[in-house]
mmCIF file of all heavy atoms in Angstrom:
data_model
loop_
_atom_site.group_PDB
_atom_site.id
_atom_site.type_symbol
_atom_site.label_atom_id
_atom_site.label_comp_id
_atom_site.label_asym_id
_atom_site.label_seq_id
_atom_site.Cartn_x
_atom_site.Cartn_y
_atom_site.Cartn_z
ATOM 1 N N GLY R 1 -15.234 11.760 -5.242
ATOM 2 C CA GLY R 1 -14.117 12.408 -4.606
ATOM 3 C C GLY R 1 -14.303 12.665 -3.217
ATOM 4 O O GLY R 1 -15.443 12.950 -2.705
ATOM 5 N N VAL R 2 -13.169 12.655 -2.391
ATOM 6 C CA VAL R 2 -13.242 12.939 -0.945
ATOM 7 C C VAL R 2 -12.314 14.120 -0.682
ATOM 8 O O VAL R 2 -11.219 14.214 -1.253
ATOM 9 C CB VAL R 2 -12.695 11.723 -0.172
ATOM 10 C CG1 VAL R 2 -12.808 11.963 1.336
ATOM 11 C CG2 VAL R 2 -13.489 10.432 -0.566
ATOM 12 N N PRO R 3 -12.809 15.126 -0.012
ATOM 13 C CA PRO R 3 -13.942 15.129 0.959
ATOM 14 C C PRO R 3 -15.233 15.720 0.498
ATOM 15 O O PRO R 3 -16.215 15.640 1.196
ATOM 16 C CB PRO R 3 -13.369 15.997 2.103
ATOM 17 C CG PRO R 3 -12.643 17.026 1.392
ATOM 18 C CD PRO R 3 -11.923 16.348 0.216
ATOM 19 N N ASP R 4 -15.306 16.273 -0.716
ATOM 20 C CA ASP R 4 -16.465 17.078 -1.140
ATOM 21 C C ASP R 4 -17.513 16.288 -1.963
ATOM 22 O O ASP R 4 -18.502 16.883 -2.313
ATOM 23 C CB ASP R 4 -16.028 18.316 -1.885
ATOM 24 C CG ASP R 4 -15.207 19.223 -1.006
ATOM 25 O OD1 ASP R 4 -15.533 19.360 0.199
ATOM 26 O OD2 ASP R 4 -14.272 19.850 -1.464
ATOM 27 N N ARG R 5 -17.270 15.058 -2.193
ATOM 28 C CA ARG R 5 -18.235 14.220 -2.966
ATOM 29 C C ARG R 5 -18.500 14.747 -4.423
ATOM 30 O O ARG R 5 -19.577 14.642 -4.936
ATOM 31 C CB ARG R 5 -19.508 14.021 -2.196
ATOM 32 C CG ARG R 5 -20.163 12.627 -2.661
ATOM 33 C CD ARG R 5 -21.299 12.306 -1.706
ATOM 34 N NE ARG R 5 -21.715 10.906 -2.024
ATOM 35 C CZ ARG R 5 -22.681 10.244 -1.383
ATOM 36 N NH1 ARG R 5 -23.337 10.796 -0.399
ATOM 37 N NH2 ARG R 5 -22.912 8.978 -1.672
ATOM 38 N N HIS R 6 -17.427 15.315 -4.998
ATOM 39 C CA HIS R 6 -17.514 15.689 -6.387
ATOM 40 C C HIS R 6 -16.848 14.656 -7.319
ATOM 41 O O HIS R 6 -16.685 13.469 -6.833
ATOM 42 C CB HIS R 6 -16.783 17.091 -6.579
ATOM 43 C CG HIS R 6 -17.503 18.185 -5.858
ATOM 44 N ND1 HIS R 6 -18.847 18.326 -5.920
ATOM 45 C CD2 HIS R 6 -17.040 19.202 -5.171
ATOM 46 C CE1 HIS R 6 -19.183 19.457 -5.248
ATOM 47 N NE2 HIS R 6 -18.105 19.980 -4.766
ATOM 48 N N GLU R 7 -16.482 14.982 -8.478
ATOM 49 C CA GLU R 7 -15.831 14.057 -9.449
ATOM 50 C C GLU R 7 -14.669 13.421 -8.827
ATOM 51 O O GLU R 7 -13.953 14.040 -7.930
ATOM 52 C CB GLU R 7 -15.401 14.801 -10.720
ATOM 53 C CG GLU R 7 -16.567 15.158 -11.646
ATOM 54 C CD GLU R 7 -17.345 16.348 -11.352
ATOM 55 O OE1 GLU R 7 -17.210 16.958 -10.261
ATOM 56 O OE2 GLU R 7 -18.191 16.787 -12.181
ATOM 57 N N PRO R 8 -14.364 12.144 -9.185
ATOM 58 C CA PRO R 8 -13.204 11.431 -8.565
ATOM 59 C C PRO R 8 -11.844 11.849 -9.112
ATOM 60 O O PRO R 8 -10.898 11.113 -8.879
ATOM 61 C CB PRO R 8 -13.556 9.965 -8.975
ATOM 62 C CG PRO R 8 -14.289 10.072 -10.193
ATOM 63 C CD PRO R 8 -15.159 11.336 -10.100
ATOM 64 N N ASP R 9 -11.755 12.978 -9.724
ATOM 65 C CA ASP R 9 -10.498 13.483 -10.182
ATOM 66 C C ASP R 9 -9.864 14.521 -9.246
ATOM 67 O O ASP R 9 -8.892 15.203 -9.559
ATOM 68 C CB ASP R 9 -10.506 14.055 -11.609
ATOM 69 C CG ASP R 9 -11.571 15.183 -11.819
ATOM 70 O OD1 ASP R 9 -12.160 15.542 -10.777
ATOM 71 O OD2 ASP R 9 -11.661 15.671 -12.932
ATOM 72 N N GLU R 10 -10.540 14.742 -8.107
ATOM 73 C CA GLU R 10 -10.069 15.707 -7.129
ATOM 74 C C GLU R 10 -10.100 15.103 -5.726
ATOM 75 O O GLU R 10 -10.931 14.160 -5.477
ATOM 76 C CB GLU R 10 -10.845 17.010 -7.164
ATOM 77 C CG GLU R 10 -12.234 16.853 -6.642
ATOM 78 C CD GLU R 10 -12.908 18.232 -6.496
ATOM 79 O OE1 GLU R 10 -12.543 19.224 -7.168
ATOM 80 O OE2 GLU R 10 -13.859 18.383 -5.589
ATOM 81 N N GLY R 11 -9.311 15.626 -4.839
ATOM 82 C CA GLY R 11 -9.388 15.209 -3.448
ATOM 83 C C GLY R 11 -8.300 14.215 -3.063
ATOM 84 O O GLY R 11 -7.301 14.061 -3.790
ATOM 85 N N GLU R 12 -8.529 13.525 -1.985
ATOM 86 C CA GLU R 12 -7.431 12.712 -1.303
ATOM 87 C C GLU R 12 -7.337 11.347 -1.762
ATOM 88 O O GLU R 12 -6.487 10.566 -1.229
ATOM 89 C CB GLU R 12 -7.625 12.803 0.211
ATOM 90 C CG GLU R 12 -8.953 12.239 0.690
ATOM 91 C CD GLU R 12 -9.316 12.646 2.107
ATOM 92 O OE1 GLU R 12 -9.347 13.840 2.406
ATOM 93 O OE2 GLU R 12 -9.544 11.754 2.921
ATOM 94 N N VAL R 13 -8.226 10.857 -2.657
ATOM 95 C CA VAL R 13 -8.214 9.446 -3.034
ATOM 96 C C VAL R 13 -7.621 9.312 -4.451
ATOM 97 O O VAL R 13 -8.029 9.982 -5.357
ATOM 98 C CB VAL R 13 -9.643 8.806 -3.028
ATOM 99 C CG1 VAL R 13 -9.610 7.380 -3.512
ATOM 100 C CG2 VAL R 13 -10.223 8.841 -1.648
ATOM 101 N N ASN R 14 -6.671 8.406 -4.608
ATOM 102 C CA ASN R 14 -6.038 8.206 -5.908
ATOM 103 C C ASN R 14 -6.837 7.189 -6.701
ATOM 104 O O ASN R 14 -6.536 5.973 -6.614
ATOM 105 C CB ASN R 14 -4.583 7.695 -5.691
ATOM 106 C CG ASN R 14 -3.857 7.505 -6.941
ATOM 107 O OD1 ASN R 14 -4.361 7.593 -8.066
ATOM 108 N ND2 ASN R 14 -2.543 7.208 -6.906
ATOM 109 N N TYR R 15 -7.791 7.566 -7.394
ATOM 110 C CA TYR R 15 -8.718 6.684 -8.137
ATOM 111 C C TYR R 15 -8.060 5.869 -9.253
ATOM 112 O O TYR R 15 -8.388 4.681 -9.443
ATOM 113 C CB TYR R 15 -10.005 7.344 -8.567
ATOM 114 C CG TYR R 15 -11.032 7.408 -7.373
ATOM 115 C CD1 TYR R 15 -11.326 8.578 -6.793
ATOM 116 C CD2 TYR R 15 -11.643 6.197 -6.938
ATOM 117 C CE1 TYR R 15 -12.340 8.587 -5.735
ATOM 118 C CE2 TYR R 15 -12.623 6.239 -5.936
ATOM 119 C CZ TYR R 15 -12.894 7.431 -5.308
ATOM 120 O OH TYR R 15 -13.817 7.453 -4.297
ATOM 121 N N PRO R 16 -7.193 6.446 -10.078
ATOM 122 C CA PRO R 16 -6.575 5.623 -11.068
ATOM 123 C C PRO R 16 -5.884 4.426 -10.478
ATOM 124 O O PRO R 16 -5.928 3.345 -11.050
ATOM 125 C CB PRO R 16 -5.579 6.647 -11.738
ATOM 126 C CG PRO R 16 -6.277 7.949 -11.572
ATOM 127 C CD PRO R 16 -6.903 7.890 -10.246
ATOM 128 N N TYR R 17 -5.253 4.612 -9.324
ATOM 129 C CA TYR R 17 -4.589 3.463 -8.650
ATOM 130 C C TYR R 17 -5.644 2.393 -8.229
ATOM 131 O O TYR R 17 -5.499 1.244 -8.392
ATOM 132 C CB TYR R 17 -3.816 3.953 -7.443
ATOM 133 C CG TYR R 17 -3.379 2.840 -6.520
ATOM 134 C CD1 TYR R 17 -2.174 2.101 -6.797
ATOM 135 C CD2 TYR R 17 -4.094 2.543 -5.353
ATOM 136 C CE1 TYR R 17 -1.759 1.171 -5.981
ATOM 137 C CE2 TYR R 17 -3.599 1.490 -4.558
ATOM 138 C CZ TYR R 17 -2.515 0.797 -4.874
ATOM 139 O OH TYR R 17 -2.106 -0.233 -3.996
ATOM 140 N N LEU R 18 -6.778 2.955 -7.605
ATOM 141 C CA LEU R 18 -7.853 1.986 -7.238
ATOM 142 C C LEU R 18 -8.442 1.270 -8.354
ATOM 143 O O LEU R 18 -8.786 0.136 -8.275
ATOM 144 C CB LEU R 18 -8.842 2.716 -6.349
ATOM 145 C CG LEU R 18 -8.364 3.236 -5.004
ATOM 146 C CD1 LEU R 18 -9.518 3.955 -4.320
ATOM 147 C CD2 LEU R 18 -7.908 2.080 -4.188
ATOM 148 N N PHE R 19 -8.660 1.947 -9.476
ATOM 149 C CA PHE R 19 -9.259 1.354 -10.589
ATOM 150 C C PHE R 19 -8.368 0.186 -11.136
ATOM 151 O O PHE R 19 -8.896 -0.928 -11.463
ATOM 152 C CB PHE R 19 -9.484 2.350 -11.766
ATOM 153 C CG PHE R 19 -10.485 3.439 -11.474
ATOM 154 C CD1 PHE R 19 -10.384 4.668 -12.100
ATOM 155 C CD2 PHE R 19 -11.448 3.241 -10.525
ATOM 156 C CE1 PHE R 19 -11.301 5.635 -11.812
ATOM 157 C CE2 PHE R 19 -12.424 4.203 -10.269
ATOM 158 C CZ PHE R 19 -12.348 5.457 -10.864
ATOM 159 N N LYS R 20 -7.136 0.417 -11.161
ATOM 160 C CA LYS R 20 -6.189 -0.737 -11.549
ATOM 161 C C LYS R 20 -6.243 -1.798 -10.612
ATOM 162 O O LYS R 20 -6.278 -2.992 -10.957
ATOM 163 C CB LYS R 20 -4.781 -0.127 -11.594
ATOM 164 C CG LYS R 20 -3.755 -1.072 -12.118
ATOM 165 C CD LYS R 20 -2.372 -0.273 -12.364
ATOM 166 C CE LYS R 20 -1.255 -1.211 -12.937
ATOM 167 N NZ LYS R 20 -0.818 -2.146 -11.929
ATOM 168 N N LEU R 21 -6.291 -1.559 -9.271
ATOM 169 C CA LEU R 21 -6.392 -2.570 -8.300
ATOM 170 C C LEU R 21 -7.662 -3.376 -8.421
ATOM 171 O O LEU R 21 -7.680 -4.606 -8.347
ATOM 172 C CB LEU R 21 -6.303 -1.942 -6.891
ATOM 173 C CG LEU R 21 -6.459 -2.922 -5.721
ATOM 174 C CD1 LEU R 21 -5.380 -3.999 -5.719
ATOM 175 C CD2 LEU R 21 -6.444 -2.151 -4.378
ATOM 176 N N ILE R 22 -8.773 -2.671 -8.622
ATOM 177 C CA ILE R 22 -10.096 -3.318 -8.770
ATOM 178 C C ILE R 22 -10.038 -4.370 -9.917
ATOM 179 O O ILE R 22 -10.557 -5.460 -9.819
ATOM 180 C CB ILE R 22 -11.170 -2.267 -8.922
ATOM 181 C CG1 ILE R 22 -11.438 -1.534 -7.618
ATOM 182 C CG2 ILE R 22 -12.437 -2.945 -9.493
ATOM 183 C CD1 ILE R 22 -12.265 -0.327 -7.720
ATOM 184 N N ASP R 23 -9.435 -3.988 -11.021
ATOM 185 C CA ASP R 23 -9.246 -4.870 -12.115
ATOM 186 C C ASP R 23 -8.410 -6.043 -11.777
ATOM 187 O O ASP R 23 -8.715 -7.232 -12.053
ATOM 188 C CB ASP R 23 -8.580 -4.128 -13.317
ATOM 189 C CG ASP R 23 -9.590 -3.301 -14.098
ATOM 190 O OD1 ASP R 23 -10.810 -3.399 -13.919
ATOM 191 O OD2 ASP R 23 -9.136 -2.430 -14.922
ATOM 192 N N GLU R 24 -7.243 -5.778 -11.081
ATOM 193 C CA GLU R 24 -6.359 -6.795 -10.693
ATOM 194 C C GLU R 24 -6.986 -7.877 -9.716
ATOM 195 O O GLU R 24 -6.709 -9.014 -9.742
ATOM 196 C CB GLU R 24 -5.111 -6.243 -9.957
ATOM 197 C CG GLU R 24 -4.199 -5.517 -10.984
ATOM 198 C CD GLU R 24 -3.059 -4.800 -10.213
ATOM 199 O OE1 GLU R 24 -3.085 -4.690 -8.959
ATOM 200 O OE2 GLU R 24 -2.223 -4.174 -10.914
ATOM 201 N N LEU R 25 -7.912 -7.395 -8.933
ATOM 202 C CA LEU R 25 -8.620 -8.276 -7.993
ATOM 203 C C LEU R 25 -9.759 -9.049 -8.609
ATOM 204 O O LEU R 25 -10.375 -9.869 -7.996
ATOM 205 C CB LEU R 25 -9.172 -7.436 -6.833
ATOM 206 C CG LEU R 25 -8.079 -6.822 -5.868
ATOM 207 C CD1 LEU R 25 -8.749 -5.927 -4.930
ATOM 208 C CD2 LEU R 25 -7.287 -7.905 -5.233
ATOM 209 N N GLY R 26 -10.004 -8.823 -9.936
ATOM 210 C CA GLY R 26 -11.032 -9.584 -10.662
ATOM 211 C C GLY R 26 -12.435 -9.177 -10.478
ATOM 212 O O GLY R 26 -13.356 -9.963 -10.813
ATOM 213 N N TYR R 27 -12.680 -7.945 -10.034
ATOM 214 C CA TYR R 27 -14.018 -7.488 -9.913
ATOM 215 C C TYR R 27 -14.672 -7.335 -11.264
ATOM 216 O O TYR R 27 -14.103 -6.676 -12.192
ATOM 217 C CB TYR R 27 -14.030 -6.156 -9.170
ATOM 218 C CG TYR R 27 -15.476 -5.520 -9.035
ATOM 219 C CD1 TYR R 27 -16.326 -6.046 -8.166
ATOM 220 C CD2 TYR R 27 -15.801 -4.430 -9.796
ATOM 221 C CE1 TYR R 27 -17.621 -5.495 -7.991
ATOM 222 C CE2 TYR R 27 -17.061 -3.813 -9.609
ATOM 223 C CZ TYR R 27 -17.958 -4.355 -8.685
ATOM 224 O OH TYR R 27 -19.171 -3.807 -8.616
ATOM 225 N N GLU R 28 -15.797 -7.917 -11.474
ATOM 226 C CA GLU R 28 -16.471 -7.892 -12.785
ATOM 227 C C GLU R 28 -17.775 -7.130 -12.770
ATOM 228 O O GLU R 28 -18.503 -7.089 -13.781
ATOM 229 C CB GLU R 28 -16.695 -9.339 -13.206
ATOM 230 C CG GLU R 28 -15.504 -10.173 -13.440
ATOM 231 C CD GLU R 28 -15.759 -11.591 -13.904
ATOM 232 O OE1 GLU R 28 -16.935 -12.031 -13.798
ATOM 233 O OE2 GLU R 28 -14.851 -12.294 -14.292
ATOM 234 N N GLY R 29 -18.152 -6.485 -11.601
ATOM 235 C CA GLY R 29 -19.434 -5.768 -11.568
ATOM 236 C C GLY R 29 -19.201 -4.357 -12.043
ATOM 237 O O GLY R 29 -18.218 -3.955 -12.664
ATOM 238 N N TRP R 30 -20.256 -3.547 -11.769
ATOM 239 C CA TRP R 30 -20.237 -2.126 -12.217
ATOM 240 C C TRP R 30 -19.693 -1.305 -11.081
ATOM 241 O O TRP R 30 -19.780 -1.606 -9.922
ATOM 242 C CB TRP R 30 -21.676 -1.700 -12.559
ATOM 243 C CG TRP R 30 -22.177 -2.388 -13.741
ATOM 244 C CD1 TRP R 30 -22.923 -3.559 -13.803
ATOM 245 C CD2 TRP R 30 -22.041 -1.984 -15.138
ATOM 246 N NE1 TRP R 30 -23.304 -3.877 -15.052
ATOM 247 C CE2 TRP R 30 -22.774 -2.891 -15.934
ATOM 248 C CE3 TRP R 30 -21.465 -0.805 -15.765
ATOM 249 C CZ2 TRP R 30 -22.872 -2.849 -17.328
ATOM 250 C CZ3 TRP R 30 -21.513 -0.763 -17.128
ATOM 251 C CH2 TRP R 30 -22.162 -1.707 -17.925
ATOM 252 N N VAL R 31 -19.133 -0.136 -11.459
ATOM 253 C CA VAL R 31 -18.705 0.896 -10.476
ATOM 254 C C VAL R 31 -19.600 2.054 -10.589
ATOM 255 O O VAL R 31 -19.678 2.687 -11.678
ATOM 256 C CB VAL R 31 -17.299 1.274 -10.675
ATOM 257 C CG1 VAL R 31 -16.879 2.440 -9.783
ATOM 258 C CG2 VAL R 31 -16.318 0.078 -10.416
ATOM 259 N N GLY R 32 -20.392 2.338 -9.584
ATOM 260 C CA GLY R 32 -21.369 3.449 -9.610
ATOM 261 C C GLY R 32 -20.790 4.770 -9.332
ATOM 262 O O GLY R 32 -20.026 4.953 -8.396
ATOM 263 N N CYS R 33 -21.015 5.720 -10.258
ATOM 264 C CA CYS R 33 -20.475 7.093 -10.128
ATOM 265 C C CYS R 33 -21.520 7.874 -9.344
ATOM 266 O O CYS R 33 -22.453 8.529 -9.834
ATOM 267 C CB CYS R 33 -20.279 7.737 -11.444
ATOM 268 S SG CYS R 33 -19.113 6.781 -12.461
ATOM 269 N N GLU R 34 -21.370 7.855 -7.967
ATOM 270 C CA GLU R 34 -22.387 8.448 -7.033
ATOM 271 C C GLU R 34 -21.827 9.738 -6.485
ATOM 272 O O GLU R 34 -21.410 9.763 -5.279
ATOM 273 C CB GLU R 34 -22.786 7.470 -5.986
ATOM 274 C CG GLU R 34 -24.030 7.954 -5.207
ATOM 275 C CD GLU R 34 -24.366 7.053 -4.048
ATOM 276 O OE1 GLU R 34 -23.503 6.552 -3.313
ATOM 277 O OE2 GLU R 34 -25.600 6.765 -3.901
ATOM 278 N N TYR R 35 -21.699 10.756 -7.288
ATOM 279 C CA TYR R 35 -21.135 12.043 -6.833
ATOM 280 C C TYR R 35 -21.921 13.189 -7.263
ATOM 281 O O TYR R 35 -22.747 13.063 -8.177
ATOM 282 C CB TYR R 35 -19.599 12.150 -7.290
ATOM 283 C CG TYR R 35 -19.406 12.196 -8.764
ATOM 284 C CD1 TYR R 35 -19.587 13.338 -9.487
ATOM 285 C CD2 TYR R 35 -19.003 11.016 -9.501
ATOM 286 C CE1 TYR R 35 -19.364 13.377 -10.885
ATOM 287 C CE2 TYR R 35 -18.809 11.079 -10.844
ATOM 288 C CZ TYR R 35 -19.001 12.236 -11.560
ATOM 289 O OH TYR R 35 -18.796 12.314 -12.891
ATOM 290 N N ARG R 36 -21.668 14.315 -6.603
ATOM 291 C CA ARG R 36 -22.305 15.549 -7.006
ATOM 292 C C ARG R 36 -21.430 16.355 -7.910
ATOM 293 O O ARG R 36 -20.347 16.740 -7.598
ATOM 294 C CB ARG R 36 -22.666 16.480 -5.737
ATOM 295 C CG ARG R 36 -23.631 15.865 -4.784
ATOM 296 C CD ARG R 36 -23.947 16.841 -3.676
ATOM 297 N NE ARG R 36 -22.815 17.009 -2.757
ATOM 298 C CZ ARG R 36 -22.605 16.322 -1.620
ATOM 299 N NH1 ARG R 36 -23.506 15.380 -1.245
ATOM 300 N NH2 ARG R 36 -21.603 16.495 -0.919
ATOM 301 N N PRO R 37 -21.889 16.611 -9.148
ATOM 302 C CA PRO R 37 -21.036 17.277 -10.154
ATOM 303 C C PRO R 37 -20.711 18.637 -9.635
ATOM 304 O O PRO R 37 -21.492 19.346 -9.064
ATOM 305 C CB PRO R 37 -21.871 17.268 -11.413
ATOM 306 C CG PRO R 37 -22.858 16.179 -11.249
ATOM 307 C CD PRO R 37 -23.163 16.082 -9.731
ATOM 308 N N ARG R 38 -19.420 19.065 -9.986
ATOM 309 C CA ARG R 38 -19.064 20.461 -9.550
ATOM 310 C C ARG R 38 -19.836 21.455 -10.331
ATOM 311 O O ARG R 38 -20.154 22.561 -9.871
ATOM 312 C CB ARG R 38 -17.571 20.624 -9.935
ATOM 313 C CG ARG R 38 -16.593 19.966 -8.980
ATOM 314 C CD ARG R 38 -15.123 20.189 -9.248
ATOM 315 N NE ARG R 38 -14.790 19.718 -10.602
ATOM 316 C CZ ARG R 38 -14.093 18.555 -10.773
ATOM 317 N NH1 ARG R 38 -13.682 17.853 -9.704
ATOM 318 N NH2 ARG R 38 -13.770 18.212 -12.031
ATOM 319 N N ALA R 39 -20.218 21.128 -11.554
ATOM 320 C CA ALA R 39 -20.983 22.079 -12.424
ATOM 321 C C ALA R 39 -21.741 21.235 -13.454
ATOM 322 O O ALA R 39 -22.477 20.258 -13.015
ATOM 323 C CB ALA R 39 -20.053 23.036 -13.188
ATOM 324 N N ASN R 40 -21.649 21.393 -14.750
ATOM 325 C CA ASN R 40 -22.331 20.629 -15.690
ATOM 326 C C ASN R 40 -21.763 19.141 -15.678
ATOM 327 O O ASN R 40 -20.605 18.948 -15.690
ATOM 328 C CB ASN R 40 -22.117 21.254 -17.104
ATOM 329 C CG ASN R 40 -22.800 20.409 -18.185
ATOM 330 O OD1 ASN R 40 -22.174 19.494 -18.674
ATOM 331 N ND2 ASN R 40 -24.048 20.733 -18.507
ATOM 332 N N THR R 41 -22.691 18.220 -15.542
ATOM 333 C CA THR R 41 -22.241 16.815 -15.475
ATOM 334 C C THR R 41 -21.361 16.355 -16.656
ATOM 335 O O THR R 41 -20.291 15.771 -16.431
ATOM 336 C CB THR R 41 -23.453 15.873 -15.397
ATOM 337 O OG1 THR R 41 -24.276 16.308 -14.205
ATOM 338 C CG2 THR R 41 -23.064 14.412 -15.226
#
């Protein structure tokens, strides 16, 4: 998540939209969840 680097369900980036786009573009790799949990992971 942006700006606080927490879970991708908060902040200014629309991740559901990006996940759909990533699929449409044919990306077959992994997506790393590199964020600091707000509380319990």
Side-chain angles (χ1 to χ4, degrees):
V2 181
D4 296 323
R5 208 171 192 176
H6 294 317
E7 283 82 351
D9 58 0
E10 71 171 25
E12 62 197 51
V13 177
N14 182 354
Y15 274 110
Y17 170 82
L18 291 179
F19 295 153
K20 184 172 182 288
L21 176 62
I22 288 167
D23 282 345
E24 290 172 353
L25 293 173
Y27 178 72
E28 297 180 349
W30 295 91
V31 172
C33 301
E34 191 183 46
Y35 62 82
R36 293 186 291 265
R38 289 182 294 258
N40 178 274
T41 302

